[in-house]
Amino acid sequence: MTKSLVTVGISTRDRNEIVKQSIELLIESCKSHQPLIQLILCDNNDVEKGMSNTDVHSLVARGVEYISEPLMGKSNALRAIISHAQGRWILFLDDDIRVSLGLIDAYLRGIESYPDVGIFGGPISAYYEKEPTAFHRMALDLCPAAFGILPVMTDTEMSVQDDVLAFGGNMAIRRDLLARNPFDTRLGMFGGRRVSGEDTAILTQILQSGIRGKLLVGAQVWHHLAPERCGLMAFMGWYAGKGRAVRRLRGKRAVWKASRLTFRDIGERLVQRNGRHNQIGIQALS
């Protein structure tokens, strides 16, 4: 087994109860690998909304390093994690992710099996508080990425051209690559406002420099989807986040083009979905 130290970093804001549940599972997943694993939780809340001293002391007592980043923005929090990281690799997880007990094993095996790879990621499935609506099931089938879901059926090479990338909720990057390719602080969540692309931007930059990336089928996590994050507003909010990213990176004039591309993207996905369902129907009749 590889001797590389892995830093696991989670940035959080306004999800104190959910992140505590996520951390509990993560601690269990890391137990057999101590002291190879460093756990960092970065609180990006306002001071009055941050975790209580009792919760912080409890986490620290169990080996979690708690840091605070007062400058709002997910990319600022991710940069803070990097500045405190000791690992050769940094595994980034979202604060509403539930990990499998074999997650760390899967990443360590991947690092050992693919020594020339600089980026890893894994599948992200959904878990729900309530049974999802028919609309959500349709929208999830139409565009899993809008809900932070990433199906992975086998170990898969990442490709910018084919749009095969890890998602920020479950990705590991070699730390030396992050020193040369920092997170863009114009992108990422800003409080409750989504500005998409802090993850895909950095992955694209690294892959285009000639570094390989790999999706590992065994590095499974589950994304918590509360009812308010399963409806039409959440679905369109993902596209709105992409539009805000375009505006920040390219200016106002690019937004109209981005809006047209959004409607084209939804239309193409609907055509593909109908084509898949028609093909299934034909196969059932034959």
Side-chain angles (χ1 to χ4, degrees):
M1 186 63 67
T2 180
K3 297 300 182 183
S4 300
L5 176 68
V6 175
T7 295
V8 183
I10 299 177
S11 66
T12 187
R13 182 180 177 87
D14 298 336
R15 290 179 181 158
N16 293 343
E17 292 306 313
I18 293 176
V19 76
K20 283 191 293 183
Q21 298 173 23
S22 301
I23 287 284
E24 288 294 326
L25 290 170
L26 184 58
I27 290 172
E28 289 298 316
S29 178
C30 294
K31 268 185 177 179
S32 62
H33 299 292
Q34 296 294 356
L36 293 179
I37 309 299
Q38 175 193 25
L39 300 181
I40 298 178
L41 177 64
C42 181
D43 196 337
N44 198 215
N45 280 297
D46 299 326
V47 174
E48 63 273 13
K49 294 182 179 179
M51 299 185 77
S52 69
N53 289 335
T54 301
D55 287 338
V56 170
H57 291 155
S58 175
L59 291 175
V60 170
R62 302 185 67 189
V64 178
E65 296 181 32
Y66 175 87
I67 61 176
S68 180
E69 173 50 62
L71 191 59
M72 184 186 294
K74 185 176 181 180
S75 287
N76 291 316
L78 296 175
R79 285 188 173 203
I81 289 171
I82 295 168
S83 69
H84 285 78
Q86 300 172 16
R88 179 169 176 261
W89 288 83
I90 304 180
L91 168 58
F92 297 100
L93 299 172
D94 277 352
D95 59 356
D96 54 356
I97 287 292
R98 288 192 175 183
V99 306
S100 60
L101 291 179
L103 179 71
I104 301 300
D105 284 318
Y107 273 111
L108 290 175
R109 283 195 300 269
I111 291 169
E112 187 174 58
S113 300
Y114 304 107
D116 60 336
V117 167
I119 309 168
F120 290 103
I124 305 175
S125 301
Y127 79 92
Y128 302 96
E129 295 177 7
K130 297 181 179 179
E131 182 69 20
T133 63
F135 169 81
H136 174 73
R137 289 193 292 269
M138 181 276 293
L140 185 63
D141 183 50
L142 190 68
C143 185
F147 302 96
I149 304 305
L150 177 63
V152 178
M153 307 309 296
T154 186
D155 286 2
T156 306
E157 194 78 12
M158 291 190 205
S159 169
V160 175
Q161 183 176 358
D162 297 329
D163 196 27
V164 179
L165 298 172
F167 287 175
N170 183 22
M171 68 179 185
I173 304 176
R174 218 172 59 218
R175 186 157 60 100
D176 64 296
L177 298 175
L178 291 165
R180 302 195 296 269
N181 303 274
F183 283 98
D184 191 330
T185 55
R186 295 172 295 177
L187 304 175
M189 292 294 293
F190 288 81
R193 190 173 180 81
R194 179 184 296 277
V195 184
S196 303
E198 81 287 346
D199 49 358
T200 54
I202 196 170
L203 294 178
T204 297
Q205 189 173 343
I206 293 172
L207 290 169
Q208 288 180 337
S209 72
I211 302 297
R212 289 181 62 203
K214 203 81 171 179
L215 294 173
L216 304 172
V217 67
Q220 174 76 54
V221 301
W222 288 266
H223 184 203
H224 173 255
L225 289 175
E228 65 271 15
R229 300 173 67 191
C230 295
L232 176 62
M233 294 303 293
F235 179 67
M236 296 310 298
W238 182 74
Y239 282 101
K242 295 179 71 172
R244 294 186 193 104
V246 169
R247 177 170 179 169
R248 290 199 174 199
L249 296 177
R250 302 177 189 173
K252 293 182 180 179
R253 293 185 177 182
V255 175
W256 172 242
K257 181 179 180 181
S259 300
R260 288 189 288 112
L261 291 175
T262 290
F263 287 110
R264 189 175 77 178
D265 179 71
I266 294 174
E268 289 175 351
R269 289 178 185 274
L270 282 169
V271 170
Q272 292 171 2
R273 179 177 182 270
N274 290 336
R276 290 199 308 272
H277 286 203
N278 289 340
Q279 185 63 35
I280 291 171
I282 292 170
Q283 290 173 352
L285 292 172
S286 62

